[in-house]
Amino acid sequence: MSRIAICAPATPITRELAERVSALAAEFPSLELAFHEQCFVEQGHFAGADELRLAALLDCASDPAVDAVWFARGGYGANRIASAAISRMGPAARDKAFLGYSDAGYLLAGLYRAGIGRSVHGPMPMDLRRDGGEQAVRRSLAFLAGEPIEPDHSLAQRPVVAFNLMTLAMLCGTDLMPDLAGHVVMVEEVAEHLYAIDRLFFHVTQHLGGIAGLRLGRVSDVPENDRPFGAQPEEIARYWCARAGIPYLGSADIGHDAQNRIVPFGVAASQRLP
């Protein structure tokens, strides 16, 4: 039996959603889900004050009976507690997987930099609310249950990371940013104007020298601007990669949608939960 602790480092979820995710988890008898009470606390935008969210994350990460920490949802807020959490994690955290994406990327990046546990980009409980969300949540449950994921043979054993583009841009230059030299970096984005996508790539590509290449996931829900930008997301990515001397390696199967792929950070040879 694998015990999976769920906390909300940024924004809250509802008890009704937790019950629906637990019902899906019944399909995986080797899993036991434990939703931290903090997941349901609402304080303005956040799932509780910084101190409460920090304490809940440390509870989950430091419990030796827990095999993996699954982040409930994104939103905004994980960056406010990430450095403090990582500096206070005990030995038990080093044997766990940490699973999430989007705003959770602040924690995944910091943990990867610190060599704590195993950072994994993948669907979160909140994805159950998306069209096809059961498929996405089942994908993460299967991974947490130890089922192997389909390898991406195009990576050729190169280490890989996956981030939301805005999150990665905000990570650059901070104490959470890992050394990504030699990595294939996958990025995706949601709900940003095309000019903002261009601005993010301007910034990010100046901090990714030495990477093996960049792959672009889905850029979805792009708002309409008052005038057309004149370039689509792939053109933008290719333009800034060329200016920075970064190989553009094509598309990546990640995004804010039900098809979002599970991407363990590091070398692709290790494709299942330890």
Side-chain angles (χ1 to χ4, degrees), residues 2 25 28 52 59-61 92 97 127 139 159 163-164 173 183 187 195-196 205 218 240 249 267 271:
S2 294
F28 301 87
L52 180 65
D59 283 347
C60 295
D127 286 307
R139 189 177 309 118
F163 291 106
N164 170 260
H183 287 65
V187 294
Y195 69 81
T205 51
R218 288 175 287 281
W240 287 108
L249 303 178
V267 178
Q271 293 287 337

Side-chain angles (χ1 to χ4, degrees), residues 187-216:
V187 294
E188 54 81 25
E189 192 50 86
V190 63
E192 293 288 347
H193 288 86
L194 289 174
Y195 69 81
I197 301 295
D198 190 83
R199 182 167 57 206
L200 290 169
F201 269 111
F202 155 72
H203 178 69
V204 162
T205 51
Q206 295 189 45
H207 291 267
L208 295 181
I211 68 170
L214 184 138
R215 293 174 65 177
L216 181 63

Side-chain angles (χ1 to χ4, degrees), residues 11-36:
T11 56
I13 60 171
T14 64
R15 293 186 187 276
E16 182 268 339
L17 179 73
E19 290 168 2
R20 291 175 58 199
V21 172
S22 295
L24 276 183
E27 300 174 12
F28 301 87
S30 66
L31 292 182
E32 177 189 356
L33 300 191
F35 284 87
H36 198 288

Side-chain angles (χ1 to χ4, degrees), residues 205-242:
T205 51
Q206 295 189 45
H207 291 267
L208 295 181
I211 68 170
L214 184 138
R215 293 174 65 177
L216 181 63
R218 288 175 287 281
V219 177
S220 57
D221 298 336
V222 177
E224 289 190 21
N225 197 26
D226 59 353
R227 60 188 298 126
F229 182 70
Q232 293 303 304
E234 184 174 3
E235 296 174 84
I236 294 169
R238 286 182 178 276
Y239 173 82
W240 287 108
C241 282

Side-chain angles (χ1 to χ4, degrees), residues 23-80:
L24 276 183
E27 300 174 12
F28 301 87
S30 66
L31 292 182
E32 177 189 356
L33 300 191
F35 284 87
H36 198 288
E37 279 296 310
Q38 172 270 329
C39 290
F40 314 117
V41 176
E42 297 185 33
Q43 183 169 335
H45 171 87
F46 302 106
D50 289 354
E51 294 77 9
L52 180 65
R53 302 195 320 280
L54 173 61
L57 175 54
L58 290 172
D59 283 347
C60 295
S62 301
D63 186 345
V66 166
D67 298 287
V69 178
W70 196 12
F71 301 124
R73 65 174 297 178
Y76 170 74
N79 62 308
R80 294 167 63 107

